[in-house]
Amino acid sequence: MKVIVAGPGAFGIKHLDGIKNIDDVEVVGLVGRRLENTQAVANEYGIPNVFTSLDEALKLEADAVILCTPTQQHAAQSIQCMKAGKHVQVEIPLSDSWKDAQAVLDVQKETGLTCMVGHTRRFNPSHQWINKRINKGELNIQQMDVQTYFFRRKNINAKGEARSWTDHLLWHHAAHTVDLFAYQAGSKIVKANAIQGPIHPELGIALDMSIQLQAENGAICTLSLSFNNDGPLGTFFRYICDNGTYIARYDDLVNGKEEPIDVSNVDVSMNGIELQDREFFAAIKEGREPNSSVAQVLNCYQVLHQLEQQLES
């Protein structure tokens, strides 16, 4: 299978690293904003074609595109790729508006192509371990307590490089947890509340936010997000269940007493991005809907829209 990757930044490179471990998948094109930087990454990964235009890249003979571009471009580029006849995996978030999210689903239905969104938490082995026990009836979530913390008072990416666009706590970082909560609870979100701190004078966004969610089955979620946190960085999930408490820190999982749980045999890899990519390519080959399809995650973006309306009012 031939694939184009758009975006040679921090997450594009994570996808390139993951794809190296997947048989019968070849990256045939890399798209970036700056030619010199894009060419350097292409040279490192042996990618034969480099572009500064997605339009030009889509003329390549390729089956699929992975979009690791700025949030504000995700919806339009997903639609562009499908209309060009390419399957698409778009990094989280699918969009930064409910209208755009719906438009992507409409085009996916029209074309019948695979459209998958990078909700990586569904694929991390730590969260998969929890999900498998829930599906077996061994666990039920009572509450999830989640902290998403970064120190990002300047417009930089995960590699510490200057960004050409502004990241967002609600539409990007909260999207991970909003989707994961409904997925793990196995129940639609029916209540959602949010408050936010002061708007940053330069970035134009709130650097602190608090969100409360409730699922139809009664489970609740409390999510705290900050770009002001000068301490351990990342997202930490506490699952308070009817039969145990578990804490997931990316690929590490411990119980409520901080005793480690081995998740090394949950899947074929410990790399959530690689597992996400494997699902994308497998779904295309097998002609089935992927886990984290645009249809499956759409409700997350409806909830984010409702929260945005709350915050604006």
Side-chain angles (χ1 to χ4, degrees):
M1 186 177 298
K2 295 179 179 180
V3 61
I4 297 162
V5 174
F11 252 77
I13 287 171
K14 287 184 179 183
H15 282 279
L16 293 175
D17 286 335
I19 292 169
K20 285 194 303 185
N21 301 320
I22 304 174
D23 292 336
D24 302 322
V25 176
E26 178 189 4
V27 180
V28 296
L30 183 65
V31 187
R33 189 168 55 92
R34 293 174 297 177
L35 181 59
E36 184 178 356
N37 177 63
T38 307
Q39 185 66 63
V41 175
N43 291 345
E44 182 179 350
Y45 288 89
I47 302 169
N49 299 290
V50 169
F51 304 89
T52 55
S53 162
L54 182 60
D55 285 334
E56 291 301 311
L58 290 174
K59 295 176 184 177
L60 270 181
E61 183 182 334
D63 304 287
V65 181
I66 296 177
L67 295 171
C68 308
T69 50
T71 292
Q72 293 78 10
Q73 299 174 3
H74 285 181
Q77 289 181 338
S78 296
I79 290 170
Q80 181 183 1
C81 291
M82 287 187 284
K83 287 189 172 181
K86 315 292 188 189
H87 303 284
V88 62
Q89 179 189 171
V90 56
E91 257 309 326
I92 193 172
L94 169 63
S95 70
D96 57 1
S97 81
W98 172 232
K99 180 181 178 182
D100 287 348
Q102 290 175 296
V104 176
L105 179 61
D106 289 343
V107 174
Q108 188 280 318
K109 288 179 177 178
E110 288 169 14
T111 62
L113 292 164
T114 300
C115 183
M116 176 178 167
V117 189
H119 285 253
T120 314
R121 299 295 172 263
R122 291 186 178 213
F123 301 94
N124 289 120
S126 52
H127 298 293
Q128 278 201 56
W129 188 92
I130 298 286
N131 187 261
K132 290 177 187 296
R133 292 199 61 191
I134 290 170
N135 290 338
K136 289 178 181 177
E138 298 172 358
L139 290 178
N140 285 297
I141 294 172
Q142 307 301 300
Q143 179 177 183
M144 282 177 63
D145 184 83
V146 185
Q147 298 175 327
T148 295
Y149 290 159
F150 299 94
F151 190 65
R152 196 172 290 169
R153 294 174 182 170
K154 296 181 179 179
N155 204 18
I156 57 174
N157 67 13
K159 295 170 66 179
E161 299 169 341
R163 264 202 174 111
S164 60
W165 54 283
T166 303
D167 200 5
H168 202 282
L169 286 176
L170 179 65
W171 283 99
H172 177 187
H173 297 284
H176 280 292
T177 297
V178 171
D179 177 68
L180 183 68
F181 172 57
Y183 179 68
Q184 299 288 54
S187 184
K188 184 178 178 179
I189 294 168
V190 293
K191 291 182 182 178
N193 299 299
I195 57 173
Q196 65 184 11
I199 302 298
H200 190 277
E202 295 174 13
L203 297 179
I205 58 170
L207 300 190
D208 291 278
M209 191 174 292
S210 177
I211 294 173
Q212 292 177 305
L213 306 169
Q214 185 167 39
E216 196 168 33
N217 66 3
I220 64 172
C221 177
T222 304
L223 169 61
S224 171
L225 307 106
S226 181
F227 281 160
N228 271 320
N229 175 64
D230 192 6
L233 307 180
T235 303
F236 315 107
F237 300 82
R238 179 180 290 269
Y239 288 95
I240 301 173
C241 304
D242 58 350
N243 188 25
T245 294
Y246 302 93
I247 303 162
R249 303 181 179 101
Y250 289 96
D251 295 324
D252 294 326
L253 184 68
V254 298
N255 63 20
K257 299 179 177 64
E258 291 286 340
E259 296 167 338
I261 295 170
D262 183 10
V263 295
S264 61
N265 294 317
V266 168
D267 212 324
V268 297
S269 170
M270 286 290 291
N271 182 336
I273 300 294
E274 177 188 330
L275 295 174
Q276 178 180 309
D277 289 341
R278 285 180 180 275
E279 172 66 5
F280 177 53
F281 299 128
I284 295 170
K285 290 177 181 178
E286 296 164 16
R288 61 169 174 82
E289 181 182 6
N291 185 5
S292 195
S293 69
V294 61
Q296 290 180 12
V297 305
L298 195 69
N299 183 247
C300 165
Y301 294 90
Q302 186 174 26
V303 172
L304 296 177
H305 171 66
Q306 292 167 354
L307 291 171
E308 181 179 63
Q309 289 183 312
Q310 252 186 53
L311 292 170
E312 288 178 348
S313 65

